[in-house]
Amino acid sequence: MTVSTEGSAAVRPVPPSGPGANAPGGSKSSNAERAPWRALRSRGGLLLLEAAVAFAAALVLPLLARGFKLNPLNRIAQVSGLAAIQLRFALIGLLLIGAVVLAMRLRGGRHFDLATRLAAAALAGLASGFVAAGAVVALLGTPWPMFGLNGDSGRIVEWAHAVANGQPSGSPVYPPMPLYTLGYYAEWFHGGNTAYAFKDLQILGAAAFGPLVYLAWRLLLSPVRALAFGVVPAFALIDSYKPYSQTVLVLLVPVLVAMVVALRRSGTEGWRPLLLKGAGFGAVLGVLFLTYSGWFLWSAAGVLFAALLYFPWKTGPLKGAAFMGSALAAFLVVAGRYLMVMLKEGQTTKDYNFRFDNFTDPAYYLMWRTDMPGKVGDWPPPGEFGGVGLFALVTFVCLGAAIWLGLRKPLIVTIAAMFVSAWVMRMYIASHMYETQTVQLYTRTNNQLLYCGLILCALVAHLVSLKLAERRTASEAADPAAPAVPADPAVPAASADGAPSAPAAVRTGFPGREGAVIGTLCALLLLLGTVSSSMSDHYMPAQDGTYRILPWVSHTIRQQDGKCPKFAPKGECSKDGDQSWLSYIR
């Protein structure tokens, strides 16, 4: 299968072979007609295999961490636990990279691309499994979830118990999917105990983060690029406390980009695949909306701009309208009822809870100290250039470079539009904060701005490699004597944004393709291991007023059988647990 530079598939029939290949009666044409289906089935099978490997890898480290013998409230024990997880992560990762090297050496590298696919998927799962394993260590010896029955955790547990018993939740505008998921999970595995069940879902939700974001970016990019340019930026946001909200964000961005790309191509699509694709996107967006709706508000204006920009006005406006209509219909079937509740109740729901970030510079979004920042000095941190630090300068430069290099690519334009949309909404709500004395969660745009900015920075490397590939291809075209390297059938000829998913130069004689893949996997192994360790450390129990207080409280709450958790400080606990965190709330 080959793909044009605009991303529309143009299938070349496979030449018939074998007995009767040229016999009359349509055998030749039937073979050609079956070729696209075989290719699609092959790609679908590989993606399913990647998904299975990623999710399996995500469970390895949490399962191993359950057997650690340590006191999670002791700092030395916490460090030892993180080191033990890191050791296992590194050893498994090195085995995966070793398998890729072995595949390169055996049978002429015939299985190199399959090994690369599976290694990339497994690394995505291992990385989020690392964070989940950190949560396992942080909660060793206590059945309670992080924060027990306090704060958001307590409300979610209470509301999930209500909906599982056929009663309305305490908030009609709160996304229903997490509540019903927790309620039914508790009925199946914990006898209806939503509090203890929430601990499991915090760990499982963190573990699923990597595989889900990897598979979402596989809609747009090849395996290693999906890992490097999609999964790595997402790990700045991974969360063990309420993993579903951040997971929706990191999935929403690639899904919306893929939808805009599909809209751009819809003018030349057949009616049946067009309607099925539209309905599929609508259903997925409906599920995400039911899980956490805030990101839709911040993104709406930017996505509308991108959709109008890439609507097939010339190639097939009727088909474009049908695509969007089928997507809207599927979305309403899945989430229409909740959308109506949001439109009705959301107007009267006000957020009056001023937090730490509401008292800081609204233009600073590059780091979020959470609602419970603990002890801080100057915030935002002072920078070298007009109060702006080097990280901000690099981010802005890369953002501009991404737009410059990818101005005609929906992948870049849609993400940039979502960034601008979130920025405008942030400033609009913050500018009315004094007048209305409401916050309306505008500081949550930090995460979307940071994620979109990091993706655009990462995609600069993607765009530069494509430009180098184009120049290499052009120079070899001008030199007919240059040796040609056959195309790799396991790597798609083009990505979803209409550009090669792997540099074209690797197919036209650019040296070191295998070395580049192996080197990239080694670098990503170290980077993801370091980031995952840092994010895990954020949730190690401590009385410091940061998010570390969340698992600390879990060790100080009396269990439902009347006993204290195994590692309760001095063997003491209470009904509500340690409430010292209240002194840190401003």
Side-chain angles (χ1 to χ4, degrees), residues 192-492:
N193 189 331
T194 52
Y196 288 2
F198 194 34
K199 173 185 174 180
D200 290 358
L201 292 189
Q202 286 178 334
I203 295 168
L204 292 173
F209 183 92
L212 288 174
V213 68
Y214 171 80
L215 293 172
W217 279 101
R218 285 290 283 116
L219 296 171
L220 299 162
L221 299 171
S222 61
V224 175
R225 293 179 179 235
L227 181 65
F229 306 142
V231 174
V232 170
F235 268 70
L237 307 176
I238 191 169
D239 182 11
S240 300
Y241 179 42
K242 293 190 299 182
Y244 55 88
S245 62
Q246 307 303 336
T247 301
V248 170
L249 171 60
V250 298
L251 296 180
L252 184 64
V253 173
V255 168
L256 286 175
V257 172
M259 185 175 178
V260 171
V261 171
L263 174 64
R264 184 190 191 191
R265 300 173 180 170
S266 61
T268 57
E269 284 271 12
W271 281 102
R272 183 178 179 183
L274 177 147
L275 295 175
L276 289 175
K277 284 182 183 179
F281 278 113
V284 170
L285 291 175
V287 171
L288 294 177
F289 187 75
L290 290 174
T291 306
Y292 195 83
S293 56
W295 314 119
F296 287 79
L297 174 63
W298 316 132
S299 306
V303 175
L304 177 61
F305 167 80
L308 292 174
L309 182 64
Y310 291 106
F311 189 86
W313 300 104
K314 295 181 179 180
T315 58
L318 184 59
K319 288 186 174 181
F323 175 83
M324 295 304 296
S326 63
L328 178 60
F331 178 84
L332 292 177
V333 168
V334 175
R337 183 177 179 181
Y338 177 56
L339 176 63
M340 295 304 296
V341 171
M342 288 292 294
L343 293 175
K344 180 181 178 181
E345 302 288 342
Q347 301 296 323
T348 58
T349 302
K350 303 296 182 182
D351 177 15
Y352 301 99
N353 188 12
F354 283 77
R355 303 172 181 85
F356 168 76
D357 268 7
N358 300 125
F359 299 93
T360 63
D361 179 7
Y364 185 80
Y365 66 88
L366 295 166
M367 221 178 351
W368 187 45
R369 288 297 299 263
T370 74
D371 300 338
M372 302 167 64
K375 297 179 181 179
V376 294
D378 291 338
W379 191 264
E384 298 82 7
F385 179 74
V388 178
L390 180 61
F391 176 63
L393 294 176
V394 172
T395 301
F396 297 145
V397 169
C398 289
L399 190 150
I403 296 174
W404 168 44
L405 296 171
L407 189 58
R408 297 182 181 275
K409 299 182 183 298
L411 173 64
I412 304 299
V413 172
T414 304
I415 297 174
M418 293 175 69
F419 179 96
V420 173
S421 175
W423 178 270
V424 172
M425 288 295 297
R426 175 187 181 88
M427 297 305 166
Y428 174 79
I429 297 173
S431 67
H432 290 79
M433 186 169 54
Y434 179 75
E435 176 186 350
T436 62
Q437 290 297 298
T438 60
V439 177
Q440 301 304 91
L441 298 177
Y442 84 84
T443 53
R444 295 296 192 269
T445 56
N446 279 30
N447 295 328
Q448 181 165 332
L449 292 169
L450 178 61
Y451 184 47
C452 290
L454 289 174
I455 292 170
L456 290 173
C457 288
L459 288 175
V460 169
H462 171 68
L463 295 170
V464 168
S465 69
L466 296 180
K467 292 295 182 182
L468 292 174
E470 290 173 3
R471 296 182 67 176
R472 177 72 176 183
T473 303
S475 65
E476 291 188 350
D479 183 10
V485 175
D488 182 353
V491 178

Side-chain angles (χ1 to χ4, degrees), residues 74-225:
N74 181 282
R75 183 56 186 169
I76 297 300
Q78 294 171 7
V79 173
S80 296
L82 289 173
I85 299 171
Q86 185 75 252
L87 176 63
R88 288 156 177 77
F89 174 84
L91 291 176
I92 297 172
L94 290 173
L95 287 175
L96 292 170
I97 295 174
V100 175
V101 174
L102 193 62
M104 177 188 69
R105 305 280 295 181
L106 296 178
R107 305 189 66 180
R110 180 178 179 181
H111 300 297
F112 178 78
D113 291 287
L114 177 60
T116 300
R117 280 176 180 264
L118 300 184
L123 282 179
L126 277 174
S128 59
F130 191 134
V131 179
V136 171
V137 170
L139 296 173
L140 282 175
T142 178
W144 297 104
M146 291 188 184
F147 223 19
L149 300 178
N150 297 281
D152 288 348
S153 179
R155 285 191 290 269
I156 292 169
V157 166
E158 178 185 350
W159 295 344
H161 181 77
V163 299
N165 288 277
Q167 302 171 1
S169 73
S171 172
V173 299
Y174 197 85
M177 185 67 75
L179 303 182
Y180 280 96
T181 301
L182 175 56
Y184 286 120
Y185 180 89
E187 291 289 338
W188 295 335
F189 298 104
H190 286 274
N193 189 331
T194 52
Y196 288 2
F198 194 34
K199 173 185 174 180
D200 290 358
L201 292 189
Q202 286 178 334
I203 295 168
L204 292 173
F209 183 92
L212 288 174
V213 68
Y214 171 80
L215 293 172
W217 279 101
R218 285 290 283 116
L219 296 171
L220 299 162
L221 299 171
S222 61
V224 175
R225 293 179 179 235

Side-chain angles (χ1 to χ4, degrees), residues 145-148 241 372 539 542 546-554:
M146 291 188 184
F147 223 19
Y241 179 42
M372 302 167 64
Y539 292 95
T546 68
Y547 263 22
R548 295 179 178 181
I549 197 69
L550 304 181
W552 176 276
V553 170
S554 304

